[in-house]
Amino acid sequence: MIDNCGRTIDYMRISVTDLCNLRCRYCMGEEGVCKKTHQEMMSAEEIVTAVKAAAGLGIRKIRITGGEPLVKRNIVSICRNIASVEGIEEVCMTTNGILLPDMAEELRAAGVTRLNLSLDTLDAERYAFITRRGDLQQFFDGLEAALSAGFDKIKINVVLIGGFNDDEIRPLAELTLKYPVDVRFIELMPMYDSGDFDEKAFIFSECVLQELPELEKAKQDGGVAKLYRLPGAKGNIGLISPISAHFCSSCNRIRLTADGKIKPCLHSSEEYSLKGMDLAGMKQVMELAVFHKPQWHGVLDAHNRSEAGRWMNQIGG
Ligand code: SAM
Ligand code: SF4
């Protein structure tokens, strides 16, 4: 699909659930989610139908996310069914990794080829604080399981938070010396209700370059991250800058929420429901959403919060 700004849209992120086994402070409220009724959420069959509709319109890459995708019932068969849809060339997943020890091999066998794992600190107490409940060892058990399962690519996503983990940039980056993974530093996005974070928390990804002067430019892969490498590393360092250098002009994605709304822009309140529709109806909704995809999402900073109208776990980061 080509949108009305001339951008090719070939990537869909699907939040398969808004439930999560963690409660990261920048992503969702402490109380979790107000569990919607089963009928209000996309069924496994509807998710696969939506992928067929999207593939028919030119979507080639799918990212499964959430909430935590691995807490979704039947997630392995959902991935398998998505991977077998004609036209879908790549199925990736973003996960907090906690449940990977039991699921990594099955996911790989189901056709998921790339994983992004989220980790904001190497300190167990900080990890428990930022996730409001997580156990850092479980993350590393998940990482080891993912490495053994033979995914084509594993990336670790670090949300940069001033006053929380800006003193850990070097040790986090040095994970690329120890493991064959990329580490990507992502600027904290001011979701509409993430009141825990004041101005000091919103730091720019440039600070990674100051902290690691030895970084060398790496071959760019066409993605949203600017890529660098530590000398001798097994993987790249990526800087993702939605705040300091938004990438709206090259945005190639739409999102499908767990309750069946197409969001053409992460930070806009515009949503188009396809819940309960058949394949033809879903296609029409997707075309409408792409037609109305905003040109850009406006200024985002500590004072100008996202207009998404949802927490990140309800959209799919
Ligand atoms: N539960 C999975 C996980 O944590 O990887 C997938 C869903 S989570 C919403 C996807 C990604 O969004 C995570 O890497 C998370 O760190 C990121 N994220 C959530 N809220 C964010 C925010 N306010 N700013 C930047 N990244 C955010
Ligand atoms: Fe859950 Fe991922 Fe959000 Fe953390 S970032 S609360 S792990 S959905």
Side-chain angles (χ1 to χ4, degrees):
M1 282 175 283
I2 310 278
D3 76 0
N4 57 9
C5 302
R7 297 170 292 196
T8 299
I9 309 300
D10 57 7
Y11 178 17
M12 183 161 79
R13 293 189 174 207
I14 305 175
S15 172
V16 290
T17 178
D18 52 9
L19 302 177
C20 188
N21 44 3
L22 301 180
R23 296 279 185 278
C24 302
R25 288 170 187 269
Y26 45 72
C27 177
M28 67 192 286
E30 182 159 24
E31 64 292 348
V33 284
C34 157
K35 214 173 166 186
K36 293 196 171 175
T37 62
H38 203 58
Q39 284 80 350
E40 289 174 278
M41 307 308 272
M42 292 284 277
S43 67
E45 293 72 26
E46 283 177 313
I47 292 172
V48 178
T49 305
V51 173
K52 287 181 183 159
L57 293 169
I59 296 290
R60 296 290 166 257
K61 174 175 168 181
I62 299 287
R63 175 169 302 282
I64 312 286
T65 176
E68 173 48 43
L70 297 182
V71 304
K72 171 82 173 171
R73 217 157 62 95
N74 299 333
I75 186 63
V76 175
S77 75
I78 293 173
C79 291
R80 187 180 305 113
N81 291 338
I82 288 176
S84 66
V85 169
E86 200 182 322
I88 296 302
E89 294 167 4
E90 195 171 40
V91 182
C92 320
M93 179 179 282
T94 303
T95 168
N96 60 34
I98 300 295
L99 297 176
L100 282 175
D102 287 334
M103 301 179 80
E105 286 194 6
E106 278 183 291
L107 283 175
R108 182 68 193 88
V112 177
T113 53
R114 293 166 160 250
L115 283 186
N116 288 359
L117 307 186
S118 302
L119 174 72
D120 303 325
T121 174
L122 294 169
D123 179 278
E125 272 180 32
R126 287 186 186 184
Y127 186 77
F129 170 79
I130 199 72
T131 61
R132 291 201 188 97
R133 59 183 60 188
D135 172 353
L136 186 61
Q137 187 54 47
Q138 290 186 327
F139 171 86
F140 278 100
D141 292 347
L143 173 61
E144 293 290 350
L147 289 166
S148 312
F151 289 92
D152 294 352
K153 188 87 187 169
I154 297 176
K155 298 178 185 171
I156 294 180
N157 286 346
V158 179
V159 179
L160 267 175
I161 307 170
F164 173 71
N165 61 4
D166 45 343
D167 60 342
E168 288 190 74
I169 290 172
R170 178 169 291 280
L172 283 161
E174 286 178 355
L175 290 172
T176 63
L177 299 175
K178 183 166 179 198
Y179 300 105
V181 299
D182 287 4
V183 170
R184 307 183 323 156
F185 292 95
I186 304 174
E187 290 173 351
L188 174 66
M189 290 181 269
M191 296 317 286
Y192 80 108
D193 205 11
S194 48
D196 280 353
F197 301 99
D198 62 14
E199 221 163 321
K200 289 191 298 297
F202 294 92
I203 54 175
F204 290 166
S205 59
E206 285 286 314
C207 68
V208 173
L209 301 179
Q210 284 150 23
E211 203 63 38
L212 305 169
E214 71 272 41
L215 278 180
E216 297 160 354
K217 278 212 165 119
K219 190 164 172 272
Q220 305 303 301
D221 65 0
V224 294
K226 273 197 197 150
L227 299 180
Y228 299 85
R229 209 170 175 94
L230 285 173
K234 299 173 184 169
N236 289 329
I237 302 295
L239 304 190
I240 303 185
S241 317
I243 307 298
S244 62
H246 68 82
F247 26 82
C248 303
S249 65
S250 57
C251 184
N252 63 345
R253 61 192 66 172
I254 54 174
R255 291 176 160 82
L256 172 60
T257 67
D259 57 352
K261 310 286 192 304
I262 293 283
K263 275 186 99 66
C265 171
L266 170 59
H267 295 297
S268 156
S269 59
E270 266 184 57
E271 299 180 348
Y272 300 83
S273 183
L274 47 66
K275 172 77 189 147
M277 292 185 172
D278 63 8
L279 187 128
M282 288 188 186
K283 267 188 169 174
Q284 275 183 4
V285 170
M286 286 178 190
E287 283 177 317
L288 188 69
V290 166
F291 182 76
H292 288 284
K293 187 172 164 69
Q295 191 171 5
W296 80 298
H297 53 53
V299 175
L300 288 175
D301 58 31
H303 309 291
N304 296 280
R305 299 205 162 234
S306 171
E307 289 173 12
R310 291 171 178 250
W311 282 99
M312 194 71 107
N313 71 302
Q314 298 169 321
I315 305 171

